[in-house]
Amino acid sequence: MRVPSPPHRHFGRALAALAAGLALLLAGCGGSAPGGGAAGGGGGTPVTFLNVLPIESLTFTPEIVAQAGGFFEREGLDVQFQVTRGSAQAIQTVIAGGALVTRVSDTEMMVAVGGRNAPVSAFGQPSQQSTLRIVSAADDPIRAPADLRGKTIGIPSEGGTSETLVDTLAATAGLTDADVKKQVVGLAPGVYELVQQGRIDAYVVAMDTAVTVQRQQPDAVVLDPSQVIAGGTQVYLTSQQALADPAQRDVLQRFLRAVRAAQESVIADQPLDATLKTLGDAYDIPILRDPDVARETLRTYIASWQAGGEGLLKISPSAWSRVYDESVAVQLVPGGLDASKWYTNDLLGASS
């Protein structure tokens, strides 16, 4: 059993970022317009969806297909995608009523609620398994958490999902902050050159990038964190104020219904040709330039949608409990809290 280490530096940064915005917003949080966003001109109920990364990624396949495939429109929704600068800003905006929905990592949600008592709740889980990967080279591979000892791992930003992922993985091997160094690097496949040059030992990337790197660099070694930890999934998050409002609750149910219909359409499209065309017609997504790589990657994303084994978008109580325990182990949140109160599957059930 691992003895909890002293608070991590990234924990302090994450809390500081959330605290600065949340304290201000909690004091001045007012009512939001139904739907939580500006009208998009489509004639349906306006909904603003905050994506913390650029939408041009297979990560957002369910939302893109729901929009481009007409599933949102069939539910009477006019969903507008709006990119934000990170999860903290997205959560703050949702609390303030500037947007109805965002999609953040499970641990970021737990920091907001368990660490800062933010009035938000998870209400669906589009990705039930981490889609991040750790890429290293064959001459000094990282194949298991114990291999992280003494290594320098590249991450895209401090205090975010990637750093939390590395710390959580390290904790499973009994390692602490002192055993693993983190260094901020980019996200592009070209960052692998830093690994080859020995400037870093590995780096954290999205699944799209990991597949691309392995195609370009056959000696690259890819560690899938989901084989070890439960954390690193993504959830839909809204404000508790919205959940308490019957009109906005209805919008959230329709949002889930549209996303689930989009996921089902992608799953049914086994060749994935129609899905790739829909995605490519809607956005310039780099990985679509190599259809074989895109198909391989998308099939892994599809597996992540169904990994919980309890149905699309449903948050698994047992997996959620494991994520909380992992978050406590790396001191992201205090122990002894009832994390089951931080999410609901009720809207999903009503959307069946």
Side-chain angles (χ1 to χ4, degrees), residues 52 56 88 130 138 143 180 188 350:
V52 301
E56 294 86 1
S130 177
R143 302 185 190 278
V180 185

Side-chain angles (χ1 to χ4, degrees), residues 100 119-124 236-250 252-253 256 341-347:
L100 184 63
V120 293
S121 180
F123 67 98
Y236 288 131
L237 180 146
T238 191
S239 68
Q240 292 177 3
Q241 183 181 23
L243 284 175
D245 181 318
Q248 296 198 54
R249 193 178 176 89
D250 174 66
L252 292 169
Q253 289 173 335
L256 288 177
K341 295 180 178 178
W342 303 348
Y343 72 90
T344 178
N345 284 317
D346 291 350
L347 274 63

Side-chain angles (χ1 to χ4, degrees), residues 58 127 129-131 133 207-208 211 224 226 272 293-307:
L58 294 185
S127 171
Q129 192 174 59
S130 177
T131 55
R133 300 290 185 265
M207 193 157 53
D208 304 37
V211 172
D224 176 0
S226 69
L272 294 175
V293 174
R295 286 188 185 88
E296 178 182 343
T297 306
L298 188 51
R299 288 194 173 99
T300 309
Y301 274 111
I302 291 170
S304 77
W305 303 345
Q306 305 172 92

